[in-house]
Amino acid sequence: MTEQATEQKVAEAQTAALELAKLDDGVRSAALHDVADAIEANHERVLEANAKDVEEAEELLEAGEYSRALVDRLELSASKLDDIAEMVRSVAEQDDPLGETLEARRLDDDLELYKVGVPIGVIGTVFESRPDALVQIAALSLKSGNAVILKGGSEASHSNRVLYELVREATADVPDGWAQLIEAREDVTTLLGMDDAVDLLMPRGSSEFVSYIQNNTSIPVLGHTEGVCHVFVDSEADLSMAEDVAFDAKVQYPAVCNAVETLLVHEAVAEDFLPAMVDRYRDADVTLRGDAGTRDVVDVDPATDEDWKTEYGDLELSIKVVDSLTAAIDHINAHGSKHTESIVTEDADRAGTFMRSIDAASVFHNASTRFADGYRYGLGAEVGISTGKIHARGPVGLEGLTTYKYHLEGDGQLVATYSGENAKPYLHEEFAGEWNPGHRSGTGE
Amino acid sequence: MTEQATEQKVAEAQTAALELAKLDDGVRSAALHDVADAIEANHERVLEANAKDVEEAEELLEAGEYSRALVDRLELSASKLDDIAEMVRSVAEQDDPLGETLEARRLDDDLELYKVGVPIGVIGTVFESRPDALVQIAALSLKSGNAVILKGGSEASHSNRVLYELVREATADVPDGWAQLIEAREDVTTLLGMDDAVDLLMPRGSSEFVSYIQNNTSIPVLGHTEGVCHVFVDSEADLSMAEDVAFDAKVQYPAVCNAVETLLVHEAVAEDFLPAMVDRYRDADVTLRGDAGTRDVVDVDPATDEDWKTEYGDLELSIKVVDSLTAAIDHINAHGSKHTESIVTEDADRAGTFMRSIDAASVFHNASTRFADGYRYGLGAEVGISTGKIHARGPVGLEGLTTYKYHLEGDGQLVATYSGENAKPYLHEEFAGEWNPGHRSGTGE
């Protein structure tokens, strides 16, 4: 696709975004229900396209270029499509993230300021090859009133094209152009340069990929880089609880970003804790490495400095013995990725010190790091996980796809009245009110 | 200064930021009162340094390199220093922007999630040559618990150095290294590259300068580019009110970003409205340009396409006659800078359409655009104005220098319990509670 074609698509999305911002939740949600119905009614069309993707991927698998896991992730089935339709319906049923009056303040009599939740505008997304990603991202964008540029993995191009067509056809009542599909790598380059048209980028994929995006655009990026999470077994820990938490945090699902990568153990409990813990990990096939303090107590391979900053994403774990709470905090602040950190201790003061001292999106006391997730947090549909600190942090729900604007309702007030020697003072009184224009008088356009 | 020296300073700020995050508001506010006292007690020391800056600037003024206005802005006096001290005290007296529990949700019995307000971390600032800027930015950063890198205009370097020393000396109770002064342009380049140490950049200055920063870093930028604001005089306007609002929006203070640059007039009222309005602007020495529709009614110079996107920042104004509310909305969305837009109309429906349709940080009904300001909005001390849509939009108060983290308090819960076939369901109940650890038991470190 040419640069011009991509620019044209983004321009269409920009126009649509202005209309989308005015659309009632009723219309947005009804359109999403239509998308779900369309996916259910068009199994064959989607599966046919998907079969082409799978076929091409199988060839590349044979050529040794793709992994079996990639091909498996790519493949759709009737039941997977029903799951996708169900997911879209659940997004439709979420509370409307828009239109709420977040604050209302009376600046003076008849001069009322409202801070109102609104969509961000145009969101550029680049995502992995799972074909359900396109539908999920489109659904979240529409629910939050945003226009969206969709770029999926090239492995899923046939599936994505058909799913995109279904989404567009089913959302005929939504301002045309709200969702745009781009397909080539050059289109992404064009997108990254359009900082006056695209308001936010949401890349999904490897840490390297997200960093690449961040380094090649001046558009704000909401992205997740890596998860180097820790569990700290404190001197005051209930050791049986610590064993369960540390086991769950690694073994329950090791491939995800909120799994633990390094276990820190206070030296006061290392001898009591480590032997049983290590046996349990080994029974679950976890490969272990440890520092000198660990290897004084249990027989594991030595850990290198590289281990302390590695996201294994697998059944691998490094272990370090520390001599104090402070040493644990310092290690985490130096080597963690500000994602999710957990302390196991019966001492609430020490837990408080840990939680206040650690700079991370999520800090837990006596709970598995695996709880760091939008669904588990009760945020509803998860837009993604952010390892940045600006705008949205940690698991991000639909709220993360919104911003606000200020509406000021006056009756002709001038700043001159409130300035200079005889300046009228402001009231600045908060009040409970919803911005609700257009119902005082009205003759229409 | 060498690259290494700047890196060292940022590293010190990073260490200090972790400690600052734990500091009570009492300590932060007391330190700010000490800063105010120190400024009052050291008039001579500051004025002596300032005299050097002014002397050097006078030389460059004579050489034709500086403007009179720049030299005037640079010059401090005893009364200006007292104003600065007063400003610092008012920041100290603001409500604590930190530590508040923003949300509390029970995920299950004894598994409680708290979303807690925290500082952002390390903020990099680059600001204009007014010497009060350094003190203001340092005060806002400390009040919000952030470490700050300060880079002021080189014209104010003597003043900035002394003011920085006073700030550091007066804040001896605050974790050392919380404020860092950098002085050379190369130091800014180093700063822009430190995306793993600096959490947010706040540049102040020209639009070009802010854009330069945005284009040369992957650190998030909170900045203000330009203000191309409009007043739309609708067909249903009270024309006397419209005249007052349009006059105030331009003339009350034309040099600022929330002043109006283009006046849009509905064709139905152009003949009744424009002649008197133009006379009034001319009496105030406003240079006017208009489109063909305007020039059919009043005698002004022609406006070019360039005018519609120009921030004059002066007693200059362009005027355009539009044939509908929709045309006004379209013009603003095409040419505005998403800053502040105002409609004057007696018709609330039309006001509602305008406010919902315009994509800008502030949209007003029957009020001067000049109200778009943190102080007037009642946000307390103003950190800056953002023309971006992410994190903070429009006038930004201390809250814009904060983010949040999640604290989860459990008693050993595992994700395995809530997964798979016999998964325990989550409760996800909101409740009114403050995170308050460390007071259940406690043996200390």
Side-chain angles (χ1 to χ4, degrees):
Chain A
M1 194 179 304
T2 66
E3 193 176 310
Q4 217 175 358
T6 300
E7 282 173 3
Q8 178 60 30
K9 287 180 179 191
V10 175
E12 282 175 26
Q14 250 191 311
T15 306
L18 294 169
E19 295 302 312
L20 256 177
K22 294 183 281 180
L23 218 58
D24 276 346
D25 185 43
V27 179
R28 286 179 267 127
S29 299
L32 287 175
H33 279 287
D34 290 345
V35 169
D37 294 346
I39 290 170
E40 284 178 345
N42 289 279
H43 276 191
E44 215 165 308
R45 193 168 145 199
V46 181
L47 292 177
E48 216 168 88
N50 183 247
K52 285 186 209 158
D53 286 329
V54 173
E55 195 180 317
E56 290 174 14
E58 297 272 9
E59 281 167 28
L60 288 159
L61 171 68
E62 274 166 43
E65 290 182 37
Y66 279 0
S67 68
R68 182 79 253 167
L70 190 146
V71 180
D72 289 348
R73 271 201 302 273
L74 208 53
E75 188 158 12
L76 289 171
S77 62
S79 94
K80 273 195 191 170
L81 285 175
D82 288 340
D83 288 348
I84 293 175
E86 228 18 77
M87 177 270 294
V88 174
R89 286 198 184 96
S90 86
V91 172
E93 293 307 316
Q94 294 269 313
D95 290 339
D96 184 10
L98 301 177
E100 207 191 334
T101 296
L102 306 165
E103 282 173 34
R105 191 176 294 119
R106 192 166 286 111
L107 308 190
D108 194 0
D109 293 325
D110 297 317
L111 187 64
E112 292 168 359
L113 183 72
Y114 300 85
K115 186 175 174 181
V116 183
V118 297
I120 288 175
V122 177
I123 298 177
T125 65
V126 190
F127 46 91
E128 67 277 24
S129 57
R130 277 190 4 247
D132 54 338
L134 182 142
V135 181
Q136 187 197 21
I137 290 169
L140 291 164
S141 299
L142 180 52
K143 179 70 185 183
S144 55
N146 290 288
V148 63
I149 317 294
L150 302 155
K151 165 72 175 77
S154 56
E155 308 84 2
S157 61
H158 296 101
S159 316
N160 279 339
R161 223 169 288 158
V162 166
L163 287 167
Y164 171 71
E165 282 163 16
L166 287 179
V167 167
R168 283 293 291 263
E169 288 161 21
T171 57
D173 290 343
V174 173
D176 196 39
W178 75 272
Q180 300 283 344
L181 185 69
I182 61 176
E183 298 192 291
R185 200 166 289 196
E186 309 88 88
D187 301 341
V188 175
T189 308
T190 305
L191 188 69
L192 295 185
M194 296 187 71
D195 58 343
D196 49 359
V198 179
D199 297 299
L200 180 68
L201 289 173
M202 295 204 313
R204 305 210 306 206
S206 69
S207 300
E208 293 71 29
F209 173 68
V210 174
S211 298
Y212 167 80
I213 297 280
Q214 284 171 329
N215 288 323
N216 287 281
T217 187
S218 61
I219 301 169
V221 177
L222 192 69
H224 164 259
T225 49
E226 57 184 345
V228 180
C229 305
H230 300 74
V231 170
F232 171 50
V233 181
D234 182 41
S235 54
E236 314 302 317
D238 171 333
L239 295 187
S240 154
M241 179 195 291
E243 198 184 301
D244 289 342
V245 166
F247 187 81
D248 185 86
K250 180 80 251 181
V251 178
Q252 199 266 336
Y253 195 3
V256 287
C257 56
N258 56 18
V260 66
E261 310 296 350
T262 299
L263 180 66
L264 299 172
V265 181
H266 196 291
E267 64 178 8
V269 296
E271 281 185 41
D272 287 339
F273 176 74
L274 277 173
M277 183 80 247
V278 162
D279 283 347
R280 194 159 161 201
Y281 275 137
R282 285 204 169 123
D283 286 346
D285 289 324
V286 180
T287 302
L288 300 170
R289 280 182 282 277
D291 74 332
T294 303
R295 299 172 74 229
D296 284 347
V297 183
V298 287
D299 183 22
V300 296
D301 284 340
T304 66
D305 278 353
E306 201 51 38
D307 281 297
W308 310 131
K309 47 186 176 185
T310 300
E311 181 179 26
Y312 301 114
D314 208 337
L315 285 173
E316 284 185 72
L317 183 83
S318 57
I319 307 176
K320 185 176 184 176
V321 171
V322 294
D323 62 6
S324 65
L325 173 61
T326 306
I329 291 167
D330 290 347
H331 178 93
I332 292 171
N333 280 332
H335 300 94
S337 62
K338 302 186 164 76
H339 192 296
T340 303
E341 309 297 348
S342 181
I343 182 173
V344 183
T345 186
E346 294 299 294
D347 184 322
D349 278 347
R350 292 170 70 88
T353 299
F354 182 87
M355 294 168 94
R356 264 188 288 254
S357 303
I358 297 283
D359 181 21
S362 296
V363 192
F364 295 175
H365 175 205
N366 291 345
S368 167
T369 53
R370 294 272 299 109
F371 281 104
D373 167 275
Y375 167 68
R376 288 172 201 136
Y377 276 10
L379 303 180
E382 182 177 291
V383 170
I385 293 189
S386 165
T387 45
K389 293 176 165 189
I390 305 302
H391 186 69
R393 194 176 195 192
V396 181
L398 279 168
E399 198 190 310
L401 294 185
T402 69
T403 181
Y404 56 82
K405 65 200 254 204
Y406 286 103
H407 286 173
L408 183 64
E409 293 278 352
D411 62 359
Q413 281 85 355
L414 313 176
V415 163
T417 313
Y418 304 85
S419 309
E421 268 193 44
N422 295 307
K424 192 175 182 200
Y426 289 98
L427 290 179
H428 289 159
E429 293 169 351
E430 314 273 333
F431 68 101
E434 287 282 318
W435 181 71
N436 188 19
H439 297 282
R440 289 183 295 172
S441 67
T443 64
E445 163 79 323
Chain B
M1 195 179 304
T2 64
E3 190 176 311
Q4 218 176 358
T6 301
E7 281 174 2
Q8 179 61 30
K9 287 181 179 190
V10 174
E12 282 175 26
Q14 248 191 313
T15 305
L18 293 169
E19 294 302 313
L20 257 177
K22 293 185 282 181
L23 218 58
D24 276 345
D25 184 44
V27 179
R28 285 179 267 128
S29 298
L32 287 175
H33 280 288
D34 291 344
V35 169
D37 294 347
I39 290 170
E40 284 177 346
N42 289 278
H43 275 190
E44 215 164 310
R45 193 168 145 201
V46 181
L47 293 177
E48 215 167 90
N50 184 247
K52 283 187 210 157
D53 286 328
V54 172
E55 195 179 318
E56 291 175 14
E58 298 272 9
E59 282 167 28
L60 288 160
L61 172 67
E62 275 166 43
E65 289 183 38
Y66 279 0
S67 68
R68 180 81 252 165
L70 190 147
V71 179
D72 288 348
R73 273 202 301 275
L74 208 54
E75 189 157 13
L76 288 171
S77 63
S79 94
K80 274 194 190 171
L81 285 174
D82 288 341
D83 288 350
I84 294 175
E86 227 19 75
M87 177 271 295
V88 174
R89 286 197 185 97
S90 85
V91 172
E93 294 306 317
Q94 295 269 312
D95 290 339
D96 184 10
L98 301 177
E100 207 190 336
T101 296
L102 306 165
E103 283 172 33
R105 191 177 295 116
R106 193 166 286 110
L107 308 190
D108 194 0
D109 293 326
D110 297 318
L111 187 63
E112 293 167 358
L113 182 72
Y114 300 85
K115 187 175 173 181
V116 183
V118 297
I120 289 174
V122 177
I123 297 177
T125 65
V126 190
F127 46 90
E128 66 277 23
S129 56
R130 280 192 2 248
D132 55 338
L134 182 141
V135 182
Q136 187 196 21
I137 291 170
L140 290 166
S141 300
L142 180 52
K143 178 71 185 183
S144 56
N146 290 288
V148 64
I149 317 294
L150 302 155
K151 165 71 175 76
S154 56
E155 309 83 0
S157 61
H158 295 102
S159 315
N160 279 341
R161 221 168 290 157
V162 167
L163 287 167
Y164 172 71
E165 282 165 15
L166 287 179
V167 166
R168 283 292 292 262
E169 288 162 20
T171 56
D173 289 344
V174 173
D176 197 40
W178 75 273
Q180 300 283 345
L181 185 69
I182 60 175
E183 297 192 292
R185 201 167 289 197
E186 310 88 88
D187 302 340
V188 175
T189 308
T190 306
L191 187 68
L192 296 186
M194 297 186 70
D195 58 343
D196 50 357
V198 180
D199 298 298
L200 180 68
L201 289 173
M202 294 204 313
R204 305 210 305 205
S206 69
S207 300
E208 292 71 30
F209 174 67
V210 173
S211 297
Y212 167 80
I213 298 279
Q214 284 171 329
N215 289 322
N216 286 282
T217 187
S218 62
I219 301 169
V221 177
L222 194 68
H224 163 261
T225 49
E226 56 183 347
V228 180
C229 305
H230 300 74
V231 171
F232 171 50
V233 181
D234 182 41
S235 53
E236 314 303 316
D238 171 333
L239 295 187
S240 153
M241 180 196 290
E243 198 184 299
D244 290 341
V245 166
F247 187 82
D248 185 86
K250 179 81 251 181
V251 178
Q252 199 267 334
Y253 195 3
V256 287
C257 55
N258 57 17
V260 65
E261 310 296 348
T262 299
L263 180 65
L264 299 172
V265 181
H266 195 292
E267 62 177 9
V269 295
E271 281 185 40
D272 288 340
F273 176 72
L274 278 174
M277 183 80 247
V278 163
D279 284 347
R280 192 156 163 204
Y281 274 137
R282 285 206 170 121
D283 286 346
D285 290 324
V286 180
T287 302
L288 300 170
R289 279 183 283 277
D291 73 331
T294 303
R295 298 171 75 229
D296 284 346
V297 183
V298 287
D299 182 24
V300 296
D301 284 339
T304 65
D305 278 354
E306 201 51 39
D307 281 298
W308 310 132
K309 48 187 174 182
T310 299
E311 180 178 26
Y312 301 113
D314 208 338
L315 286 171
E316 283 183 74
L317 184 83
S318 58
I319 307 176
K320 185 178 183 175
V321 171
V322 294
D323 62 6
S324 65
L325 173 61
T326 305
I329 291 166
D330 290 348
H331 179 93
I332 293 171
N333 279 333
H335 300 95
S337 63
K338 302 188 165 75
H339 192 295
T340 302
E341 309 296 348
S342 181
I343 182 173
V344 183
T345 187
E346 294 298 293
D347 183 324
D349 277 348
R350 292 169 70 89
T353 300
F354 182 88
M355 295 168 92
R356 263 188 289 254
S357 303
I358 297 283
D359 180 22
S362 296
V363 192
F364 295 175
H365 175 205
N366 292 344
S368 167
T369 53
R370 293 271 299 110
F371 281 104
D373 167 277
Y375 168 67
R376 290 175 197 134
Y377 276 9
L379 303 180
E382 181 178 290
V383 169
I385 293 190
S386 165
T387 45
K389 294 176 164 189
I390 304 302
H391 187 68
R393 193 175 195 193
V396 182
L398 279 168
E399 198 190 311
L401 295 185
T402 69
T403 181
Y404 57 82
K405 65 200 255 206
Y406 286 103
H407 285 172
L408 182 65
E409 293 278 353
D411 62 0
Q413 282 84 354
L414 313 176
V415 163
T417 313
Y418 303 84
S419 310
E421 269 191 45
N422 295 306
K424 193 176 182 198
Y426 289 98
L427 290 180
H428 289 159
E429 292 169 351
E430 314 275 331
F431 68 101
E434 288 282 316
W435 181 70
N436 188 20
H439 297 282
R440 289 182 296 174
S441 67
T443 63
E445 163 82 318

PDB file of all heavy atoms in Angstrom, chain B residues 26 63 67 123 157 200 204 233 295 306 312 319 325 404 411 445:
ATOM      1  N   GLY B  26       3.441  16.664  55.491  1.00  0.00           N
ATOM      2  CA  GLY B  26       3.939  17.600  56.498  1.00  0.00           C
ATOM      3  C   GLY B  26       5.390  17.992  56.233  1.00  0.00           C
ATOM      4  O   GLY B  26       5.744  19.178  56.288  1.00  0.00           O
ATOM      5  N   ALA B  63      23.825  44.941  21.590  1.00  0.00           N
ATOM      6  CA  ALA B  63      24.333  44.287  20.379  1.00  0.00           C
ATOM      7  C   ALA B  63      23.193  43.851  19.455  1.00  0.00           C
ATOM      8  O   ALA B  63      23.423  43.259  18.404  1.00  0.00           O
ATOM      9  CB  ALA B  63      25.190  43.086  20.764  1.00  0.00           C
ATOM     10  N   SER B  67      15.841  41.211  23.125  1.00  0.00           N
ATOM     11  CA  SER B  67      14.813  42.245  23.094  1.00  0.00           C
ATOM     12  C   SER B  67      14.698  42.885  24.481  1.00  0.00           C
ATOM     13  O   SER B  67      15.094  42.299  25.489  1.00  0.00           O
ATOM     14  CB  SER B  67      13.467  41.631  22.707  1.00  0.00           C
ATOM     15  OG  SER B  67      13.030  40.786  23.749  1.00  0.00           O
ATOM     16  N   ILE B 123      11.052  13.946  37.103  1.00  0.00           N
ATOM     17  CA  ILE B 123      10.498  14.817  36.063  1.00  0.00           C
ATOM     18  C   ILE B 123      11.598  15.712  35.527  1.00  0.00           C
ATOM     19  O   ILE B 123      12.312  16.365  36.288  1.00  0.00           O
ATOM     20  CB  ILE B 123       9.337  15.650  36.637  1.00  0.00           C
ATOM     21  CG1 ILE B 123       8.219  14.700  37.076  1.00  0.00           C
ATOM     22  CG2 ILE B 123       8.825  16.650  35.610  1.00  0.00           C
ATOM     23  CD1 ILE B 123       7.050  15.383  37.713  1.00  0.00           C
ATOM     24  N   SER B 157      21.237  32.374  34.106  1.00  0.00           N
ATOM     25  CA  SER B 157      22.050  31.342  34.762  1.00  0.00           C
ATOM     26  C   SER B 157      22.562  31.754  36.149  1.00  0.00           C
ATOM     27  O   SER B 157      22.569  30.944  37.074  1.00  0.00           O
ATOM     28  CB  SER B 157      23.213  30.934  33.858  1.00  0.00           C
ATOM     29  OG  SER B 157      24.041  32.052  33.614  1.00  0.00           O
ATOM     30  N   LEU B 200       8.962  11.637  32.991  1.00  0.00           N
ATOM     31  CA  LEU B 200       8.118  12.616  32.307  1.00  0.00           C
ATOM     32  C   LEU B 200       8.953  13.850  32.003  1.00  0.00           C
ATOM     33  O   LEU B 200       9.785  14.265  32.825  1.00  0.00           O
ATOM     34  CB  LEU B 200       6.937  13.002  33.204  1.00  0.00           C
ATOM     35  CG  LEU B 200       5.945  14.026  32.641  1.00  0.00           C
ATOM     36  CD1 LEU B 200       5.157  13.437  31.476  1.00  0.00           C
ATOM     37  CD2 LEU B 200       4.965  14.483  33.727  1.00  0.00           C
ATOM     38  N   ARG B 204       8.722  23.987  28.736  1.00  0.00           N
ATOM     39  CA  ARG B 204       7.915  25.197  28.576  1.00  0.00           C
ATOM     40  C   ARG B 204       8.652  26.103  27.596  1.00  0.00           C
ATOM     41  O   ARG B 204       9.879  26.147  27.582  1.00  0.00           O
ATOM     42  CB  ARG B 204       7.743  25.928  29.910  1.00  0.00           C
ATOM     43  CG  ARG B 204       7.159  25.044  30.989  1.00  0.00           C
ATOM     44  CD  ARG B 204       6.331  25.756  32.011  1.00  0.00           C
ATOM     45  NE  ARG B 204       6.990  26.863  32.683  1.00  0.00           N
ATOM     46  CZ  ARG B 204       6.637  27.290  33.912  1.00  0.00           C
ATOM     47  NH1 ARG B 204       5.668  26.680  34.577  1.00  0.00           N
ATOM     48  NH2 ARG B 204       7.250  28.309  34.457  1.00  0.00           N
ATOM     49  N   VAL B 233     -19.655  33.468  16.983  1.00  0.00           N
ATOM     50  CA  VAL B 233     -20.872  34.236  17.260  1.00  0.00           C
ATOM     51  C   VAL B 233     -21.989  33.625  16.421  1.00  0.00           C
ATOM     52  O   VAL B 233     -22.026  33.768  15.202  1.00  0.00           O
ATOM     53  CB  VAL B 233     -20.666  35.726  16.905  1.00  0.00           C
ATOM     54  CG1 VAL B 233     -21.932  36.513  17.213  1.00  0.00           C
ATOM     55  CG2 VAL B 233     -19.474  36.285  17.678  1.00  0.00           C
ATOM     56  N   ARG B 295     -15.465  40.941   4.450  1.00  0.00           N
ATOM     57  CA  ARG B 295     -15.162  42.176   3.730  1.00  0.00           C
ATOM     58  C   ARG B 295     -16.365  42.699   2.934  1.00  0.00           C
ATOM     59  O   ARG B 295     -16.364  43.851   2.512  1.00  0.00           O
ATOM     60  CB  ARG B 295     -13.925  41.947   2.848  1.00  0.00           C
ATOM     61  CG  ARG B 295     -12.709  41.599   3.737  1.00  0.00           C
ATOM     62  CD  ARG B 295     -11.501  41.156   2.936  1.00  0.00           C
ATOM     63  NE  ARG B 295     -10.888  42.313   2.300  1.00  0.00           N
ATOM     64  CZ  ARG B 295     -10.552  42.373   1.016  1.00  0.00           C
ATOM     65  NH1 ARG B 295     -10.783  41.341   0.224  1.00  0.00           N
ATOM     66  NH2 ARG B 295     -10.001  43.456   0.519  1.00  0.00           N
ATOM     67  N   GLU B 306      -3.122  31.144   5.581  1.00  0.00           N
ATOM     68  CA  GLU B 306      -2.147  31.130   6.660  1.00  0.00           C
ATOM     69  C   GLU B 306      -2.744  31.694   7.961  1.00  0.00           C
ATOM     70  O   GLU B 306      -2.454  31.217   9.057  1.00  0.00           O
ATOM     71  CB  GLU B 306      -0.911  31.946   6.226  1.00  0.00           C
ATOM     72  CG  GLU B 306       0.365  31.666   6.965  1.00  0.00           C
ATOM     73  CD  GLU B 306       0.723  30.187   7.022  1.00  0.00           C
ATOM     74  OE1 GLU B 306       0.526  29.432   6.036  1.00  0.00           O
ATOM     75  OE2 GLU B 306       1.188  29.776   8.107  1.00  0.00           O
ATOM     76  N   TYR B 312      -1.346  34.504  16.655  1.00  0.00           N
ATOM     77  CA  TYR B 312      -0.703  35.828  16.576  1.00  0.00           C
ATOM     78  C   TYR B 312       0.004  36.175  17.880  1.00  0.00           C
ATOM     79  O   TYR B 312       1.080  36.758  17.889  1.00  0.00           O
ATOM     80  CB  TYR B 312      -1.738  36.914  16.270  1.00  0.00           C
ATOM     81  CG  TYR B 312      -2.498  36.729  14.973  1.00  0.00           C
ATOM     82  CD1 TYR B 312      -3.867  36.462  14.987  1.00  0.00           C
ATOM     83  CD2 TYR B 312      -1.848  36.812  13.739  1.00  0.00           C
ATOM     84  CE1 TYR B 312      -4.576  36.297  13.811  1.00  0.00           C
ATOM     85  CE2 TYR B 312      -2.548  36.647  12.556  1.00  0.00           C
ATOM     86  CZ  TYR B 312      -3.922  36.390  12.602  1.00  0.00           C
ATOM     87  OH  TYR B 312      -4.625  36.224  11.435  1.00  0.00           O
ATOM     88  N   ILE B 319     -11.048  37.272  10.893  1.00  0.00           N
ATOM     89  CA  ILE B 319     -12.503  37.135  11.007  1.00  0.00           C
ATOM     90  C   ILE B 319     -13.021  36.361   9.802  1.00  0.00           C
ATOM     91  O   ILE B 319     -12.608  36.612   8.666  1.00  0.00           O
ATOM     92  CB  ILE B 319     -13.202  38.516  11.050  1.00  0.00           C
ATOM     93  CG1 ILE B 319     -12.578  39.400  12.144  1.00  0.00           C
ATOM     94  CG2 ILE B 319     -14.708  38.366  11.294  1.00  0.00           C
ATOM     95  CD1 ILE B 319     -13.144  40.820  12.198  1.00  0.00           C
ATOM     96  N   LEU B 325     -23.851  26.536  11.766  1.00  0.00           N
ATOM     97  CA  LEU B 325     -23.166  26.008  12.944  1.00  0.00           C
ATOM     98  C   LEU B 325     -22.159  24.933  12.520  1.00  0.00           C
ATOM     99  O   LEU B 325     -21.022  24.885  13.005  1.00  0.00           O
ATOM    100  CB  LEU B 325     -24.219  25.421  13.900  1.00  0.00           C
ATOM    101  CG  LEU B 325     -23.756  24.663  15.133  1.00  0.00           C
ATOM    102  CD1 LEU B 325     -22.934  25.548  16.062  1.00  0.00           C
ATOM    103  CD2 LEU B 325     -24.953  24.083  15.894  1.00  0.00           C
ATOM    104  N   TYR B 404      -0.659   6.538  39.751  1.00  0.00           N
ATOM    105  CA  TYR B 404      -1.202   5.670  40.787  1.00  0.00           C
ATOM    106  C   TYR B 404      -0.473   4.341  40.770  1.00  0.00           C
ATOM    107  O   TYR B 404       0.235   4.002  39.826  1.00  0.00           O
ATOM    108  CB  TYR B 404      -2.712   5.445  40.595  1.00  0.00           C
ATOM    109  CG  TYR B 404      -3.089   4.869  39.252  1.00  0.00           C
ATOM    110  CD1 TYR B 404      -3.002   3.504  38.996  1.00  0.00           C
ATOM    111  CD2 TYR B 404      -3.511   5.690  38.211  1.00  0.00           C
ATOM    112  CE1 TYR B 404      -3.331   2.984  37.762  1.00  0.00           C
ATOM    113  CE2 TYR B 404      -3.838   5.178  36.953  1.00  0.00           C
ATOM    114  CZ  TYR B 404      -3.751   3.827  36.744  1.00  0.00           C
ATOM    115  OH  TYR B 404      -4.064   3.309  35.510  1.00  0.00           O
ATOM    116  N   ASP B 411      -4.287 -12.800  52.054  1.00  0.00           N
ATOM    117  CA  ASP B 411      -3.728 -13.652  53.099  1.00  0.00           C
ATOM    118  C   ASP B 411      -3.286 -14.983  52.509  1.00  0.00           C
ATOM    119  O   ASP B 411      -3.570 -16.041  53.051  1.00  0.00           O
ATOM    120  CB  ASP B 411      -4.653 -13.789  54.310  1.00  0.00           C
ATOM    121  CG  ASP B 411      -5.984 -14.424  53.975  1.00  0.00           C
ATOM    122  OD1 ASP B 411      -6.194 -14.754  52.788  1.00  0.00           O
ATOM    123  OD2 ASP B 411      -6.811 -14.602  54.882  1.00  0.00           O
ATOM    124  N   GLU B 445      11.644  -3.465  61.425  1.00  0.00           N
ATOM    125  CA  GLU B 445      12.715  -4.076  60.594  1.00  0.00           C
ATOM    126  C   GLU B 445      13.710  -4.805  61.482  1.00  0.00           C
ATOM    127  O   GLU B 445      14.261  -4.230  62.409  1.00  0.00           O
ATOM    128  CB  GLU B 445      13.410  -2.978  59.763  1.00  0.00           C
ATOM    129  CG  GLU B 445      14.748  -3.346  59.188  1.00  0.00           C
ATOM    130  CD  GLU B 445      14.674  -4.132  57.896  1.00  0.00           C
ATOM    131  OE1 GLU B 445      13.823  -5.043  57.802  1.00  0.00           O
ATOM    132  OE2 GLU B 445      15.450  -3.876  56.996  1.00  0.00           O
TER     133      GLU B 445
END
